[in-house]
Amino acid sequence: MEFGIFTVGDLTPDPTTGKIQTEHERLRSIQKYAIKAEEVGLDFFAQGEHHNPPFVVSSPTTNLAYIAAKTERIKLTTSTTLITTNDPVLIAEDYTMLQHVSGGRIDLMMGRGNTGPVYPWFGKDIRQGIPLAIENYHLLRKLFREETVNWEGKFRTPLHGFTLAPRPLDDTPPFVWHGSIRSPEIAEQAAFYGDGFFHNNIFWNMEHTASMVQLYRQRYEHYGHGGAEQAIVGLGGHIFVGETEKKAKEFFRPYFDKAPVYGYGPSLEEFTRDTPLTVGTVEQVIERTLGFADAVGDYQRQGFLIDHAGLPEEVVLEQIEILGRDIVPVLRREFEARRPAGVPSRAPSHEELAALPKDHDYHQVISSPVARAAEAAKRAEAAESNN
């Protein structure tokens, strides 16, 4: 099981002091959190991508490259990379560069983004979000997997004889997750290609999360990638840990009440009841998180949001320490003890993917055996009707 932290990179005033970091200070704090995550034994660090205030993380690969140079083991990823407003060619170039810089310690998560004004800033229409995600990701797969790409679609100029430079490290594309909280089309897309599906369920109840994951698992099996229980699933969550539940809530409440990320809506008690937010003791976090697998089945990646809402840097660093020292070792042991044989314990590493033969499904643009067989049958039928 992989455990880590992710940041949305919000720049929020501390409601208890009124102080707010500069953009430079916030970015430096994020870098410190990633380095601390490796120090305490976490498996991954993920950075979001936002192009609008109050966020400061518009270029994930730039920051992740810096973090890669300061770390040795931790996997670096995104949460998420915007497949809709970014050009797939630039995504391919950025992430193959990051592959080489990090020595293969990356994967990436594709997402649509739900901030309406951002789309026209990049010449796109949010009403085309799903078609953009589908078309752009298919092109990205071709860029990662084909030496020479000829392509024509609806949303960008055609490509003729294009070769990605640099090519993926060891000629092996990075593992991809598709992140979505409410779009079944994205769960379907992840299943079609046999990629991972990450449900960042920080605003949703577990019933909704379970339904999305179940859809992905069913379609993963339908497309011939393996059993539904073998599908690669990740979940989000958010925690704040204190010596007692009372002390945790007393400290965190003003941050919750004033944080834009929570929308100034439900109370802390309502939010902790209806979403995975856990504000309490180490034991409460462990118990709540273990319950996620009861809802979605055995899964492979758990991310925690803990650096938002204006929390002071020293508090976040302490929370990461608690997570790595007191929480994750127990979760890792308990999750693995219940995991059935044959169910992956984590997403594949770069080394494992690079060891696959080049005719393996992973290296195909259309990786689904069922989809490829159906397409071959159509071609054969068309050829026969032309004779």
Side-chain angles (χ1 to χ4, degrees):
M1 185 92 169
E2 293 180 319
F3 296 92
I5 59 174
F6 65 94
T7 182
V8 296
D10 62 307
L11 191 61
T12 303
D14 184 328
T16 66
T17 64
K19 293 181 179 179
I20 185 170
Q21 290 184 304
T22 66
E23 293 175 324
H24 178 76
E25 289 169 340
R26 181 70 169 107
L27 288 168
R28 284 298 190 190
S29 291
I30 290 171
Q31 293 160 2
K32 291 178 185 179
Y33 303 153
I35 294 167
K36 183 69 171 179
E38 176 169 273
E39 289 176 358
V40 302
L42 300 186
D43 300 300
F44 72 90
F45 173 80
Q47 180 179 307
E49 176 186 345
H50 295 278
H51 298 273
N52 55 297
F55 305 101
V56 297
V57 286
S58 58
S59 179
T61 52
T62 303
N63 209 32
L64 292 176
Y66 176 89
I67 294 166
K70 298 292 183 178
T71 56
E72 296 180 355
R73 177 195 57 80
I74 197 165
K75 186 179 290 185
L76 304 173
T77 185
T78 52
S79 60
T80 61
T81 295
L82 301 181
I83 190 64
T84 48
T85 51
N86 283 310
D87 182 0
V89 173
L90 183 59
I91 294 176
E93 291 176 339
D94 281 349
Y95 285 93
T96 53
M97 281 287 291
L98 187 56
Q99 260 195 322
H100 287 272
V101 168
S102 67
R105 288 188 290 127
I106 72 150
D107 55 32
L108 66 154
M109 188 189 303
M110 301 283 95
R112 288 192 298 124
N114 59 5
T115 307
V118 172
Y119 276 72
W121 295 345
F122 293 90
K124 306 300 180 183
D125 183 345
I126 194 171
R127 294 170 295 183
Q128 297 296 320
I130 294 292
L132 275 165
I134 293 170
E135 180 177 294
N136 283 354
Y137 181 61
H138 187 71
L139 173 55
L140 183 64
R141 287 187 67 90
K142 289 175 69 69
L143 292 164
F144 279 148
R145 288 168 171 79
E146 294 182 356
E147 184 73 29
T148 302
V149 174
N150 295 291
W151 179 90
E152 186 170 342
K154 178 180 178 181
F155 296 109
R156 78 173 316 281
T157 54
L159 294 175
H160 301 293
F162 178 84
T163 297
L164 177 65
R167 298 293 300 154
L169 179 66
D170 301 320
D171 200 28
T172 301
F175 185 78
V176 168
W177 301 79
H178 298 259
S180 178
I181 56 176
R182 64 183 183 276
S183 301
E185 297 92 341
I186 301 303
E188 175 81 11
Q189 183 182 42
F192 178 80
Y193 291 107
D195 296 333
F197 179 64
F198 192 92
H199 193 274
N200 194 10
N201 54 324
I202 60 174
F203 302 119
W204 295 83
N205 60 44
M206 286 307 296
E207 291 79 11
H208 171 79
T209 299
S211 67
M212 289 286 287
V213 172
Q214 183 182 26
L215 170 64
Y216 161 67
R217 290 187 185 279
Q218 290 171 344
R219 301 302 288 171
Y220 180 96
E221 181 171 306
H222 167 79
Y223 286 117
H225 300 296
E229 72 282 358
Q230 296 173 307
I232 305 297
V233 173
L235 297 182
H238 39 169
I239 61 173
F240 187 83
V241 185
E243 184 180 345
T244 66
E245 181 180 1
K246 183 175 183 292
K247 288 182 178 180
K249 288 183 174 178
E250 285 178 348
F251 188 95
F252 188 67
R253 189 178 301 277
Y255 294 92
F256 176 90
D257 289 345
K258 298 293 184 181
V261 72
Y262 294 122
Y264 310 108
S267 68
L268 176 60
E269 284 71 23
E270 290 170 326
F271 214 86
T272 53
R273 181 195 65 208
D274 297 335
T275 81
L277 172 64
T278 306
V279 181
T281 64
V282 164
E283 292 75 20
Q284 287 174 309
V285 170
I286 290 171
E287 181 181 6
R288 188 84 182 279
T289 307
L290 288 173
F292 294 171
D294 295 331
V296 306
D298 296 285
Y299 63 110
Q300 287 70 37
R301 175 173 285 187
Q302 176 65 56
F304 295 102
L305 173 65
I306 56 177
D307 76 324
H308 58 308
L311 286 166
E313 181 183 279
E314 64 273 15
V315 172
V316 175
L317 289 170
E318 182 184 25
Q319 291 287 303
I320 297 172
E321 178 74 32
I322 294 169
L323 184 64
R325 183 190 65 217
D326 301 328
I327 296 174
V328 163
V330 179
L331 289 176
R332 187 177 282 122
R333 182 175 66 249
E334 294 295 326
F335 273 121
E336 292 313 308
R338 62 163 282 166
R339 189 180 303 277
V343 175
S345 61
R346 54 175 173 76
S349 68
H350 172 78
E351 290 73 20
E352 290 167 336
L353 294 173
L356 296 174
K358 294 309 175 186
D359 61 353
H360 189 276
D361 288 344
Y362 182 77
H363 292 286
Q364 311 307 311
V365 175
I366 302 296
S367 56
S368 161
V370 171
R372 292 203 306 271
E375 185 61 31
K378 287 182 181 178
R379 289 197 299 268
E381 184 179 346
E384 184 175 342
S385 64
N386 290 331
N387 291 335

